[in-house]
Amino acid sequence: MRFLRSLLPSILLLGAGVADAATWGFEEAVISVTGKGGAGSAFKDKLSAKVPLAKAVTLGAADSLKIVLSATEDGKAKRPHQAFLLLRDQDTGLEATFPFSVKENGKGKVDFTQKDLPIQLLTSTQPLQATVLLASFGTTQGFSNHIFNLDVKLDSNVPLPKYEAPLRYGQREEIHHIFKADPKSGPKIISLFFILAVLATVPVLFGAWAYLGANVSHLSKAIGAAPVSHSLFFGSILSMEGIFFLYYSSWNLFQTLPAAGVVGLVAFLSGSKALSEVQSRRLAGER
């Protein structure tokens, strides 16, 4: 008697757990196969959530299959988080899923034709197993039952599309890269012509200075007042010309830019000091 009394609460708890185990399912499910152009219905029947159809459903080359159902959670119409129709090849185990479009009231629909099926399922030798999958968040048990078989009838007059194997990444043949040759300078004749043209302007420059009255006697005074500034400024100008010549003859851009940056900074700093010295003599009336 005491044993039965101790066992009774456990039995009641187990019964309550079984009674509270809610599951997903569906009601009012109808499957139909419509011919080309939607004229007439080649097949129409009701689907059961527990027992699959006795005969396989035939899907012709020009037919369209449609399933309409009402998803339920513990007997109440509700929209699940996931709702799919799964087609499975019994020989290879390959599967393809088609999602239901489900409304808030649980009404769902899915339709497809042979064109929507992958080629692996079209070539199956046995009818495809059709399974409805319904599930959502929470503790409610999902639904996954085989409800009918689908027999795909191909058009004998239309050849099957060719199956193209997917790209597999692996070891490939060695690739030998051929890089473009480095750019070269222009012909030496053209370079010499422009060098002589630039050198020919030097006498013209000195002649213009003499004509305009350049005061060469101030050179010693300028160097004596700011020897470092004038020397660095004049040297930076010659250095920049040398850098340009090296860039033209042998250097690349990555060698030229750092050197040009350093020489340009020296020219800027020393040139400002040299010009300040020249301005001081101009303000004093010596120029």
Side-chain angles (χ1 to χ4, degrees), residues 22-100:
T23 59
W24 281 97
F26 63 84
E27 298 176 350
E28 304 174 359
V30 177
I31 181 174
S32 60
V33 179
T34 306
K36 185 177 182 180
S41 180
F43 174 80
K44 187 175 183 180
D45 200 352
K46 293 183 179 181
L47 296 175
S48 173
K50 298 180 179 179
V51 181
L53 293 179
K55 295 183 179 181
V57 179
T58 302
L59 180 65
D63 295 340
S64 175
L65 186 146
K66 180 173 69 172
I67 298 177
V68 180
L69 53 79
S70 178
T72 60
E73 182 184 17
D74 197 20
K76 298 180 181 179
K78 192 175 180 181
R79 180 181 181 181
H81 178 65
Q82 295 179 345
F84 295 96
L85 177 68
L86 185 143
L87 300 179
R88 183 177 183 273
D89 188 344
Q90 300 184 52
D91 294 330
T92 62
L94 296 176
E95 299 175 343
T97 56
F98 299 89
F100 281 87

Side-chain angles (χ1 to χ4, degrees), residues 55-250:
K55 295 183 179 181
V57 179
T58 302
L59 180 65
D63 295 340
S64 175
L65 186 146
K66 180 173 69 172
I67 298 177
V68 180
L69 53 79
S70 178
T72 60
E73 182 184 17
D74 197 20
K76 298 180 181 179
K78 192 175 180 181
R79 180 181 181 181
H81 178 65
Q82 295 179 345
F84 295 96
L85 177 68
L86 185 143
L87 300 179
R88 183 177 183 273
D89 188 344
Q90 300 184 52
D91 294 330
T92 62
L94 296 176
E95 299 175 343
T97 56
F98 299 89
F100 281 87
S101 58
V102 187
K103 300 180 180 179
E104 293 295 335
N105 58 2
K107 297 291 184 180
K109 181 184 71 172
V110 64
D111 55 350
F112 59 89
T113 62
Q114 282 192 16
K115 296 180 179 179
D116 301 319
L117 297 176
I119 185 175
Q120 291 88 344
L121 297 186
L122 291 177
T123 56
S124 177
T125 58
Q126 298 188 44
L128 306 176
Q129 285 187 348
T131 303
V132 172
L133 305 175
L134 301 173
S136 188
F137 300 107
T139 58
T140 304
Q141 184 179 356
F143 177 86
S144 174
N145 281 355
H146 169 218
I147 56 174
F148 69 93
N149 292 328
L150 181 64
D151 188 9
V152 181
K153 295 295 183 181
L154 302 176
D155 188 353
S156 58
N157 298 324
V158 179
L160 282 174
K162 296 181 179 180
Y163 171 71
E164 297 182 1
L167 177 63
R168 303 295 183 183
Y169 292 96
Q171 186 177 2
R172 298 289 182 179
E173 297 180 359
E174 184 179 359
I175 299 176
H176 297 277
H177 295 280
I178 301 176
F179 297 95
K180 184 186 295 186
D182 294 335
K184 298 181 179 179
S185 303
K188 293 183 178 181
I189 297 176
I190 297 177
S191 302
L192 291 174
F193 172 77
F194 282 101
I195 291 174
L196 294 175
V198 172
L199 293 177
T201 61
V202 176
V204 178
L205 177 61
F206 284 110
W209 282 354
Y211 177 77
L212 295 175
N215 195 348
V216 185
S217 61
H218 281 203
L219 180 59
S220 59
K221 185 181 291 187
I223 296 201
V228 178
S229 300
H230 287 288
S231 300
L232 289 177
F233 181 66
F234 184 72
S236 63
I237 294 176
L238 296 179
S239 300
M240 189 65 71
E241 295 297 333
I243 290 173
F244 289 153
F245 175 76
L246 291 175
Y247 175 63
Y248 178 79
S249 60
S250 60

